[in-house]
Amino acid sequence: MEHGVAHEAFDAGEARYELVVSVDARRSGQYNDAEKPRMRQRIYRVLESALAQAGVVRDAVHMEDRGDGVLMSVPGRIAVSRLLGLWMVEVHENLREENGSLLVPLGLRVAMHVGPVRHDSRGISGRAVDLTCRLADSSVARELLDREQADLVLAVSDSLYADVVQAGGKFIDPARFAPARLALKEGAVTAWFHLPGRPAPDTGALGPEEPGDGGVAGTGGVPAGVSAGAGGAAGAGGAAGAAGAGGAAVSPADPPPGAVDGGDPDSEGYEDDEDGDASVRYAAQGDLSVHQHNVYQQPVHIGRVTGAGPRKD
């Protein structure tokens, strides 16, 4: 018996197709040593109560502690739709109840994927586990949780969406999921994002950045916090850019169209610094002007004047 789950054999070479669930707490690094145990207690209370409410036997589920979250695997004999549907509803409701008495609400990023999982006496491993953890730690999941001021965001793999979510079912509405393209270490993947109790999130408002920059991945072509136009754009860190003639949109230089994400899960289960200042690269079809930390004492003109009209400086 390990982690409350009885396995027929601990054979690391024998893979079983299981549902993998990764749960991470928002900004766990901001909790001090006295607050962290209470945060962890709330996470387990929310998840385990939801298992009971969804009719899933706790001992049937493998659970590993990740410090600021939990890694789970659910055997194939338990319907994936039960976890995607009823369990997620109960997790959301339990979380809302917990947050009702908190000054700083607990936020959770949950990710799911089905794939081959290998068990041994210390836990689980495999690419399915790696992918699930990266989805939960993706910048899209982080950004949606913050931007929408939500309690919970769910990310599912493209295959899980196609196999289960798209067919719908009790408490599963595919119309409430939105896709985003992520550039992970292993390569580009598509994931689907859902905010329980809300319409499909606008992932198009999340602009792409360079892989590895910790940027947000969305389906838009402009970095998060930057709006392009003929009059200029203001970005994070006080940067401002102006599009060239014709209002050419400013977009990242290298990533392909769609959302690109450089999120990287911490192997120990703790979040990395989320407040780092990542560099941003731009490409424009016309002129591009970027201005940072400037103080102008007189009226200035930034951009290109076209036509026969007089120039005004």
Side-chain angles (χ1 to χ4, degrees):
M1 180 88 71
E2 180 73 14
H3 300 289
V5 182
H7 299 294
E8 293 80 4
F10 288 121
D11 184 356
E14 184 180 51
R16 311 166 187 175
Y17 271 77
E18 298 183 339
L19 172 68
V20 183
V21 183
S22 177
V23 182
D24 284 339
R26 170 173 50 199
R27 292 194 178 89
S28 63
Q30 295 184 4
Y31 290 86
N32 61 38
D33 287 351
E35 294 167 337
K36 242 173 188 174
R38 292 192 289 270
M39 178 266 289
R40 287 159 47 79
Q41 288 174 359
R42 292 188 185 100
I43 292 175
Y44 278 98
R45 187 158 56 237
V46 165
L47 301 181
E48 293 180 337
S49 295
L51 287 175
Q53 292 157 344
V56 178
V57 178
R58 167 63 184 85
D59 286 346
V61 178
H62 170 88
M63 298 183 76
E64 291 182 31
D65 185 77
R66 288 299 178 102
D68 61 350
V70 179
L71 178 64
M72 305 166 53
S73 68
V74 183
R77 66 178 180 273
I78 299 175
V80 172
S81 57
R82 182 177 292 267
L83 277 295
L84 264 171
L86 181 56
W87 183 71
M88 281 305 306
V89 170
E90 297 296 351
V91 168
H92 183 226
E93 290 302 316
N94 292 345
L95 184 58
R96 290 180 59 201
E97 184 175 351
E98 289 281 344
N99 285 338
S101 60
L102 298 178
L103 292 177
V104 179
L106 173 64
L108 295 180
R109 302 187 308 272
V110 180
M112 296 187 184
H113 172 59
V114 172
V117 177
R118 288 173 169 80
H119 290 260
D120 58 33
S121 60
R122 298 182 183 274
I124 59 175
S125 63
R127 290 187 177 182
V129 176
D130 295 341
L131 174 59
T132 308
C133 292
R134 295 196 193 286
L135 295 184
D137 194 60
S138 68
S139 294
V140 173
R142 295 175 184 273
E143 180 76 5
L144 283 175
L145 202 61
D146 289 341
R147 188 191 72 186
E148 301 298 330
Q149 298 183 335
D151 297 303
L152 176 68
V153 61
L154 169 66
V156 301
S157 65
D158 192 43
S159 59
L160 183 55
Y161 178 86
D163 293 342
V164 181
V165 176
Q166 198 166 31
K170 192 172 184 179
F171 303 115
I172 302 175
D173 183 359
R176 293 176 180 263
F177 287 73
R181 191 71 174 164
L182 314 180
L184 306 181
K185 286 184 176 181
E186 297 81 1
V189 301
T190 296
W192 294 77
F193 294 85
H194 170 58
L195 299 171
R198 305 191 187 192
D202 181 12
T203 54
L206 305 176
E209 288 186 2
E210 296 283 338
D213 282 346
V216 239
T219 54
V222 181
V226 179
S227 58
V250 179
S251 62
D254 295 333
V260 179
D261 174 63
D264 183 20
D266 186 332
S267 61
E268 295 300 325
Y270 291 88
E271 294 178 7
D272 297 326
D273 179 16
E274 298 179 73
D275 299 321
D277 186 15
S279 62
V280 181
R281 298 172 60 191
Y282 305 98
Q285 299 301 318
D287 296 335
L288 173 65
S289 179
V290 177
H291 306 266
Q292 294 180 320
H293 315 301
N294 296 313
V295 177
Y296 301 103
Q297 303 298 334
Q298 298 291 335
V300 297
H301 173 85
I302 299 174
R304 180 170 60 179
V305 176
T306 60
R311 176 173 174 171
K312 297 180 181 179
D313 292 325

